Structure formats: structure tokens, C-alpha cells
Amino acid sequence: MTSHDTAAAGAGAAPTPVGTGTGVTAFADLLDQPLTRYVPGNSPRSTVALLEKELGITTVGQLLDHSPRRYIRRGKIQALTELVAGERTSFVARVESSSTRRMRSDPRRSLTDVTVADDTGASLKITFFNAYSAQKDLPVGSLALFTGKPEFYRGTLSMAGADYAPVEAPESLERSEDGELLPIPVYPETAKLTTPRIAKVVHQVLVTADLDSLADPLPPEVVAAEKLVPPGQAYRDLHRPESVAAYEAAQRRFRFQEAFVLQTELRRRRAEHAAHPVAPRPVVEDGLLARFDASLPFELTPRQREVGEQISAELAGTAPMNRLLQGDVGSGKTVVALRAMLQIVDAGGQAAMLAPTEVLATQHHEKITRALGPLAMPGRLGGDDHATEVTLLTGSMGATARRKALLDIASGAAGIVVGTHALIQEAVQFADLGLAVVDEQHRFGVEQRDALRDKAGTSPHTLVMTATPIPRTVAMTVFGDLDVSTLRELPGGRQPIETHVVGLAEHGPAWERRVWQLAAEHIANGHQVYVVAPKIGDDAAVPSFTSLRESLEADPEEPEPATVAWLEELVTARPELRGARVGVLHGRQDAQVKARTMADVAAGTVDVLVATTVIEVGVDVPNATLMVVVDPERFGISQLHQLRGRIGRGEHASTCLLVTRTLPEHPARTRLDAVAATTDGFELAEVDLRLRKEGDILGASQSGGRSGLRWVGVLRDEALVARARTAAEAVITEDPQLTAHPDLRVAIGRVLDEDRQAFLERG
Ligand code: ADP
Ligand code: MG
């Protein structure tokens, strides 16, 4: 496993470099060359073979894009004092001594013990089994990059074997002109593919390939404005930097390039969408929209009006709208969406509202029907003469109701259709679908969009609503082909919600008594209280503890998660809450029971509702003013925020208590404190991003796969992405097909494998 060539060794038999003498090579020509052209020697154990097997790297471009994950760049050579037993590491050190001895078990073979040391005075013994090479390559006084795994042996750290790459010409390499130690790249490694092995192959490519001939996919004016280094130099400086500034400039080039290529593609798609015109649906005088506005019991907020006007203008035009409407729970998105739907109906079209679940679809249907009143009662007593049918279509409807719904949708009698996403996948025929409103974008992927296009013959206008605030950079990168509107403030004189973390582990039982007393006070004032548990639990297995605190004393380390079943008993038994009417709501109940309970809560005949997160969506009881979340550490930030959105919906001041049995130093406490510190969903979304890995956000939760972003950090690079977006816009406006930008087209093609195509079309 030892590499005995120096990293600086020549490439041996040099191939004919592609592009030599031709001036400029098309961007992809060089990068798509097979690695084997530049690095001969194809034994199954060769580094090239391993690169393919372990990292899937077969081309020059893939290798050059395998960028160092960090650089060794400290002022002193390396702190050997920081090595950890069992942890693979890379470090630079100088050979202090070297001695070769015969192996006791096999006297025909030799071992070489090399002791290396660094400026800290610490040293490490490395035993090499290929004595000959080690002796030759690592003379006393030489400097090398080592990679290996130190282990404890007889009480001291030592290493059995190591990959190494002598750092040649130490005098010149140690310090650059400005006195800085030259950075040494450390690659993402596998057990066999260590940094020195990768570095060696990279070096062979760097010296043989004509990188300076590499065409730049970025337009020259963008390169100039951003002061970017040329791509060939960037690759060189990434892998063999002469200074920290050099690799930083290289990283900046690739970061900007990635953002720009992505933004260009997103803009190109938008331009393409816009090129397929739809029927204009201008506002009609004295139509449903005007009548609905006249009947609204409240004033639209300035922002609702502003967003509404923008949407209205887009619906009146011929370019399909693609808009993301984001706003906190209760910020009034539904009203905005409903007004858009009414404009479409007024113009003779149909609007569909798609919800992620049947329960939500049913709730939307009820809400819309209620909000429209006479406007949703066509041909009925008391109905408006402009009224339209609001039709619900779900999978669990009876056959007769279903047939009627399908008929109304096909005939156009149903102006507004509410259903789950299945609505667009089933054999549903619309007379004239003009607008699709999608609630919650996360589950609305590329297939749904295609299906929607099929329904409408062309892309209908699309309005995607989300209550999960999306930080700006994510919106720009992931949803870059959507325009984004944001409702930031909550409408209508709502009282702010006060949130407190109640840590039962550090506070005495008095704090818990105070929680239940507060609940009693809210009830005494005629309000309702939600108590939320992370689990449903089993009536038969309810613990006998009559307080949360008691359960904690029984098992301070890892208390069982609280259940609805247990908290129902606990709440009922609490002396503070004697006489309170307790209801229960969770996902295992059937729909009728749930509906009845919710009606009771709304009617005020239930004082305390013990529930799971089923109340997270859709429950709207303005009279509920206290929420007690038990074991809140079991929820994510956005989930807690959504939950909390169930209170503070009326004109009364509301309180949310996060009652945790975790110890104060529990990592989840940071999350809880963040939720307590602000009710601004956007701020929380950013905290959430920061606390999780950025990759997780884009990767798992939003793209459903890998994010495709290698260089751009969604938090760090907001400004850069914004600039890339502006630059991309300018290019696409001038040249929508990128006819004059062949290398940019190629770069897009290289970046967008199938995964990413799907990723881009999400939303
Ligand atoms: P979202 O869909 O963003 O969660 P909704 O549209 O459901 O929010 O609005 C939440 C509540 O606020 C509803 O009861 C709605 O009628 C009410 N509401 C919406 N806009 C206003 C406004 N401008 N003034 C007062 N109340 C409003
Ligand atoms: Mg809503």
C-alpha cells in the first residue's frame, strides 16, 4: 500500500495531450477524456483502477473535480500532538531517524523503522514493511506528507505502514515568497485511496494535460466582473496551490461557476415556459372576485394586496405563472390563493387546489366553501347569481358522489376543485384548467408537474404555497425557476405568542405545578389549552406517574417519550385541572371521532385537548391560547414552529410552554431556545439550516436525493448566488437558447445529470 513515487515524479510515457497547439479546447473535450490517456498503467490494483472502483472517477474532469477537502496550512509543519489513536490522518513531518532490521518471523524480509517529528517536539514511529523503498524514499532530514492510522502499541502511539509523498525541495516548498508554508491538499479518501495516491495521479494529469487551453464556460464579461481566475489555472491552484490565496481564488471560481451554471439553466427553463403562452385571464368587473372582496370581514394587509396584484397581473398575461407563495402559518396565504382562483373562474376557467393529504383537502374544501358563502352556492336558495361549484374529490368518496364530482369537473360546472395530488394523476378531465394551487411544495415533484401539464394541455398557472419558510438562497438555488412572494407579518392585530422553555430536570416540582396552574388560569378565562405529546401510546400501558417530574426521577437519563394516553390520565388527575373537560386527538382515531373532537374544541366544550402533532396542520381555534408541548426535544424546529402556529390565532395573548425533561446540556436545548427566542419563521428556518448540515437541507428534505450542490453553501453564499442569478439573467435575456455560448451549454450538460434534472424541476 505504500506509494514510493514522489508526488513530483514525471508521468512516465506522456500521452499526446489533447488540445495542445489548438489554442482553445472546448470545455468538455479535455475534461471528458478518459483518465487512462494521461495516467498509464492499468493493473487492477493501480490508483486509476481504484479511482474508478471506489469513487467512480474515470475522466480527467471527474478527477480534477475531486477537490481537496482541506489543506494542511499551518505555520508549523504539523502538530503530531493532535493525532488520535484509530483515526486516519494526514500530516507533514520530517524524518528524524531511519533504521532497517530483519523481521523476526521471516529473516529473509526486513522492516524499516522511521521516526518522524515536527516542530512541537512530538515524534512518531512508523514501521514500514517495504523496507527498501522506505529507506530510499525517506532519508533522514527529508520532509513528507504521511497518511495512515496511528494506534497505541505498548503505551505509545505508532503507525504500522503509511502512505507517503515526499515533499520535494523542502527549502523552496516550505515557505512561499510571503513566508507562508505552502498548503498541501488533503483529499476525500477511502481506505485504499489515500491522499498521496490521489495527489500523485492528479499531478500526472496536471503536468500532461494542456489545462491552459481549457475554454471558459463563463462569458468574459462575467469573468471580468467577478475577477475570476481562468478554469485551467483554477484547477491547478486547487490541486497544487502556491499559496492560500491561490486555492481560495480557485475555490471562488468554482463556487461562482457552479452557481452561475445552475442559475443559467433555471433562467433558461423559465424563458422556455414563457414561450408557451396561455389564455389571458384578466379581472372581470363585478365578478366573483369583486363580490368576494366586498364580503371579506377584514381588510387585506398591504402585503396581501401587493402580492395579490402581482399575481392578478400575471394571470391576466399570457406567460404561465410559476410562483412560490411563502408565509408563516396564519399569514393569510389561503386568502391570496382563493382570490387568484376566483379571478380564473371569473374568466371562464377552472382552478384546482392540491393538498398533500385527504384531511387537508377536506379542510381546504370546507374553508373555501365557508369563505365563499353564497358565492359557492350555484342554483341554490340564497346563492349568488355568479356562484360557482366548489367540488371536493378524494379517494375515499362514495361512488355516486365521485361520479357527480367528475362530471362537474369535466363539464366546467365546478369552478374550483379541491383534492389531493391524486387528483391530477387519476383519470380526471378538466374542462379548462387555468390555475393549480399547490399547498406545500415538498411533495410536489416532477411527475406531478408533468401530469398537471397533461391535464391542462399546456402548463397552467401554478401557485405553490408553503408554510415552511425557505431561506432566500435555497429559494434561489432550489426553486430558482419560481418567482417568490413572501407574506411576512401576521394579519389582523394578532397578539404575539410568548414561548418559554420549562426544564424539569433543573427545576423543582413547583415549576410543573406552575405549568398546570397556568393551564387552569387560561381555562378559567374561557380559553382552551393544547397539550402535545410526541407519541400516541397505549391505554393499557400508561405509566402510573402523576407528574412529569416524577417520571424523570424514576429514569433521569432517558425517560420514555410522553404519550397522549399517559398525558390524558395525568391531566385528568392533576388537582390544578380538576373539572376541566379533556379531549383527545390523534392519528389512529377514525375521521368521525376526530371531526367530532375538533368540533367540540371549536364549540368550546373541550377545555384541554391532548393531542399528537395531528393538530399541527389545519386546526384553527382562535380561542386556544396555551400550548404545552411535552418532550419538545423530540420535534424539529420547523415542526415546533408549526405546532405553535395553532395558538395565537385570535386576538388574545397566547403562551407556548416547551416542557422538557432533558438536561440543560442536552444538544436539543439549542433548538428549543431558538424556538423560544423568536416567532419569526424565517429566522427559525435559518437557525435550522445552521444547526443541521446544509447538505441535509437540500439533500434529504427538499430534493429527495442528493442536492447536486458541491461548491455553493446555501447560507454562506447568498450574495454570490444573487450575483450569479443577475448575471445569468442578462445572458439568457440576450441569448435564450445559448446559441452564442456553446461552452456554457456544455457546462450545463456536464453538471446536469439525471438526478439534478429532477432536482431542478422540483417545486
Ligand atoms: P395561511 O394559509 O397562511 O396559514 P390563512 O389564509 O389560513 O393563513 O389565514 C389565517 C387566518 O387569518 C384565517 O382565519 C384568515 O381568515 C385570517 N386572515 C387572513 N388574512 C387576514 C387579514 N388581512 N386580516 C385579518 N384576518 C386575516
Ligand atoms: Mg392555510
Side-chain angles (χ1 to χ4, degrees), residues 152-467:
F152 270 113
Y153 182 68
R154 296 193 178 151
T156 48
L157 272 183
S158 65
M159 247 154 64
D163 270 3
Y164 57 87
V167 170
E168 82 274 24
E171 314 77 54
S172 67
L173 261 186
E174 256 183 284
R175 312 272 158 199
S176 67
E177 279 162 28
D178 46 7
E180 216 176 346
L181 180 75
L182 287 195
I184 295 172
V186 178
Y187 290 94
E189 302 174 308
T190 67
K192 284 186 193 150
L193 271 176
T194 55
T195 284
R197 295 189 76 156
I198 296 170
K200 191 180 131 201
V201 174
V202 168
H203 185 69
Q204 279 178 291
V205 170
L206 289 182
V207 297
T208 51
D210 185 8
L211 284 174
D212 289 317
S213 72
L214 203 57
D216 195 334
L218 305 186
E221 64 277 10
V222 174
V223 173
E226 290 290 326
K227 301 192 180 66
L228 301 175
V229 294
Q233 187 190 331
Y235 276 127
R236 248 193 323 268
D237 289 347
L238 192 66
H239 295 286
R240 304 273 293 177
E242 304 229 319
S243 66
V244 170
Y247 76 70
E248 283 178 350
Q251 290 172 329
R252 210 163 52 75
R253 131 74 64 174
F254 291 119
R255 198 172 295 140
F256 189 87
Q257 182 174 316
E258 179 177 81
F260 180 82
V261 165
L262 193 61
Q263 291 300 321
T264 308
E265 174 60 4
L266 289 166
R267 293 281 122 177
R268 194 193 59 74
R269 282 168 196 237
R270 279 169 59 106
E272 203 175 88
H273 275 292
H276 295 284
V278 293
R281 320 264 189 183
V283 173
V284 169
E285 234 180 89
D286 192 34
L288 284 169
L289 177 56
R291 290 168 191 218
F292 175 72
D293 280 349
S295 76
L296 265 182
F298 49 75
E299 292 263 314
L300 294 176
T301 65
R303 186 68 190 139
Q304 279 174 319
R305 198 168 307 125
E306 198 179 322
V307 172
E309 271 161 23
Q310 195 167 23
I311 292 173
S312 172
E314 285 174 346
L315 300 181
T318 56
M321 174 177 78
N322 256 318
R323 188 165 282 280
L324 178 70
L325 177 58
Q326 59 173 359
D328 235 339
V329 177
S331 60
K333 297 181 295 295
T334 309
V335 180
V336 172
L338 183 52
R339 293 184 68 249
M341 294 197 276
L342 293 175
Q343 178 171 339
I344 294 287
V345 177
D346 277 339
Q350 290 167 295
M353 179 177 256
L354 310 179
T357 65
E358 278 203 11
V359 174
L360 270 179
T362 308
Q363 280 174 358
H364 275 310
H365 177 256
E366 276 165 18
K367 248 178 143 173
I368 291 174
T369 310
R370 202 173 338 117
L372 289 179
L375 301 175
M377 295 160 55
R380 261 165 274 162
L381 202 61
D384 190 281
D385 55 351
H386 281 63
T388 191
E389 199 71 60
V390 181
T391 297
L392 175 69
L393 188 72
T394 67
S396 62
M397 278 165 76
T400 318
R402 186 180 170 77
R403 206 167 314 119
K404 171 162 186 341
L406 286 173
L407 211 62
D408 284 348
I409 296 169
S411 72
I416 294 176
V417 183
V418 185
T420 57
H421 294 168
L423 180 61
I424 52 164
Q425 285 157 333
E426 291 170 21
V428 183
Q429 204 65 47
F430 284 87
D432 180 10
L433 180 59
L435 167 68
V437 175
V438 182
D439 192 10
E440 279 301 330
Q441 87 292 353
H442 294 302
R443 288 167 247 201
F444 195 67
V446 57
E447 312 90 44
Q448 282 94 335
R449 241 196 208 186
D450 287 346
L452 197 56
R453 201 165 295 138
D454 293 345
K455 293 274 154 217
T458 162
S459 285
H461 296 293
T462 313
L463 183 65
V464 180
M465 298 197 292
T466 175

Side-chain angles (χ1 to χ4, degrees), residues 500-649:
H500 303 283
V501 179
V502 179
L504 293 182
E506 66 264 36
H507 297 299
W511 279 58
E512 182 175 357
R513 281 200 295 276
R514 186 71 198 107
V515 169
W516 303 123
Q517 264 160 20
L518 191 67
E521 285 161 25
H522 278 256
I523 294 166
N525 288 331
H527 295 301
Q528 274 118 325
V529 176
Y530 295 130
V531 176
V532 181
K535 291 200 147 166
I536 298 173
D538 193 338
D539 283 339
V542 165
S544 56
F545 308 117
T546 54
S547 78
L548 295 164
R549 182 60 208 195
E550 207 178 300
S551 72
L552 189 56
E553 275 151 20
D555 188 2
E557 289 299 319
E558 187 75 54
E560 288 285 307
T563 63
V564 170
W566 174 37
L567 291 185
E568 182 197 5
E569 289 218 344
L570 190 149
V571 163
T572 310
R574 290 299 304 188
E576 299 89 346
L577 291 169
R578 194 164 295 133
R581 295 161 296 178
V582 179
V584 167
L585 188 75
H586 60 72
R588 281 214 300 261
Q589 295 167 322
D590 65 47
Q592 270 180 341
V593 174
K594 272 191 273 194
R596 198 169 342 110
T597 306
M598 279 324 300
D600 288 347
V601 177
T605 56
V606 163
D607 300 312
V608 182
L609 182 66
V610 183
T612 57
T613 52
V614 288
I615 64 162
E616 182 184 319
V617 266
V619 172
D620 188 3
V621 179
N623 198 41
T625 52
L626 178 69
M627 175 173 284
V628 179
V629 184
V630 180
D631 295 346
E633 68 278 0
R634 303 211 171 243
F635 303 108
I637 284 187
S638 70
Q639 206 172 14
L640 287 172
H641 181 61
Q642 297 265 40
L643 268 173
R644 180 171 56 178
R646 298 300 113 204
I647 54 172
R649 298 176 76 81

Side-chain angles (χ1 to χ4, degrees), residues 121-170:
S123 63
L124 179 78
K125 190 170 92 175
I126 311 174
T127 302
F128 292 95
F129 299 94
N130 52 338
Y132 173 72
S133 311
Q135 231 177 339
K136 177 172 69 82
D137 296 337
L138 297 170
V140 171
S142 67
L143 198 64
L145 167 67
F146 296 90
T147 298
K149 199 196 279 182
E151 299 285 1
F152 270 113
Y153 182 68
R154 296 193 178 151
T156 48
L157 272 183
S158 65
M159 247 154 64
D163 270 3
Y164 57 87
V167 170
E168 82 274 24

